[in-house]
Amino acid sequence: MSRKLLILFFLIVLFGCDQAVERQDEMVMMEERDAPNKVLVIGYDGATWEMFGPAMDSGFMPNLKSFIARGVRAPLQTMKPTITPIIWTTIATGKLPEEHGVQAVVAKDPETGKISPLTSESIRVKPVWEILSDRGEDVTVVRWPVTWPAREVNGELVSDFAFQDSRSRRVWPESLEALVNARQVHSRLKDIQSLTGVDAETYRNLDPLWQWKLMVLLR
């Protein structure tokens, strides 16, 4: 993917509203200047400028405020319903839900009716990082929704279930597992215990579906 197309892709993601069209055209011209060779996308699930604005004005989130001061911002026109797996997969693939295959919060087996968490195998098309990998570009993906089990990429991928050590294929390459385990944070397990009485050892022995349900309940 050329630098110009890559910049355009992320502009579409970040400025998905008509009011920003002129600004998009202006920034796409960055390709004619000294555009950087790297693109960093940071995502906040469920966040809005109504939340960030007061926080930045009160002195919180100084780094985000610095980014905005040196760039542009705009409201994002999203899809309905605003369900995390659907929205984030749409952003990653540039396809509508009926095309990429993620259309709910969970996956349901059509024969048995069994409910299970969505996985990367639920996605029918390639996300942008796999497209870039195929073109020889280096990529790093950290905790993007619906990325477990981790697929092979030209770089590193830490899946959304990376910190659930009962699962296999949490990261790519496998050598990252030791790094992830060393930085594992158990504060969420303490929150789950306070809320439900399920302690850390019991949680680790649960079926992955019930682990996922408890995390959803905590959120």
Side-chain angles (χ1 to χ4, degrees):
M1 181 179 288
S2 71
R3 189 181 303 167
K4 183 174 182 179
L5 289 177
L6 185 59
I7 292 172
L8 179 58
F9 173 86
F10 286 114
L11 282 172
I12 291 172
V13 170
L14 295 173
F15 306 113
C17 59
D18 294 338
Q19 296 94 322
V21 171
E22 293 183 2
R23 189 56 173 160
Q24 288 179 24
D25 294 339
E26 178 183 340
M27 293 193 69
V28 168
M29 296 307 294
M30 287 174 61
E31 192 273 339
E32 303 299 331
R33 302 193 291 272
D34 295 326
N37 291 319
K38 296 181 180 180
V39 175
L40 174 65
V41 176
I42 302 173
Y44 296 89
D45 188 39
T48 66
W49 292 119
E50 285 75 14
M51 297 168 59
F52 285 159
M56 290 187 293
D57 292 342
S58 300
F60 296 100
M61 308 187 78
N63 292 325
L64 180 60
K65 188 173 184 178
S66 176
F67 282 142
I68 293 172
R70 290 178 285 135
V72 295
R73 75 173 189 179
L76 176 67
Q77 185 178 29
T78 189
M79 300 174 60
K80 303 291 184 180
T82 52
I83 296 175
T84 294
I86 299 176
I87 298 297
W88 286 88
T89 305
T90 299
I91 293 172
T93 63
K95 303 290 185 181
L96 294 174
E98 54 267 27
E99 297 176 275
H100 60 60
V102 176
Q103 302 187 60
V105 180
V106 295
K108 183 177 182 179
D109 189 302
E111 297 182 2
T112 65
K114 182 180 179 181
I115 300 296
S116 60
L118 289 165
T119 71
S120 59
E121 295 167 357
S122 307
I123 304 175
R124 300 172 187 158
V125 298
K126 290 186 176 182
V128 63
W129 50 84
E130 291 186 11
I131 295 172
L132 292 173
S133 290
D134 291 345
R135 293 174 178 264
E137 301 288 347
D138 293 328
V139 300
T140 299
V141 182
V142 180
R143 303 295 303 278
W144 194 283
V146 201
T147 49
W148 179 85
R151 295 179 179 177
E152 180 178 347
V153 294
N154 185 39
E156 302 83 28
L157 192 149
V158 178
S159 76
D160 49 340
F161 287 139
F163 296 108
Q164 295 191 20
D165 51 17
S166 62
R167 297 174 182 264
S168 60
R169 297 173 60 190
R170 296 175 294 151
V171 296
W172 174 267
E174 292 182 1
S175 58
L176 282 178
E177 283 197 8
L179 183 66
V180 169
N181 291 338
R183 287 159 173 75
Q184 197 161 15
V185 178
H186 296 288
S187 59
R188 300 185 73 184
L189 297 183
K190 293 179 181 178
D191 291 337
I192 285 177
Q193 184 172 1
S194 298
L195 182 66
T196 66
V198 175
D199 60 30
E201 182 178 357
T202 302
Y203 174 85
R204 293 192 186 95
N205 292 326
L206 287 174
D207 179 273
L209 176 60
W210 281 101
Q211 291 181 347
W212 174 81
K213 286 181 176 180
L214 285 172
M215 285 295 180
V216 171
L217 177 63
L218 179 62
R219 287 198 294 268

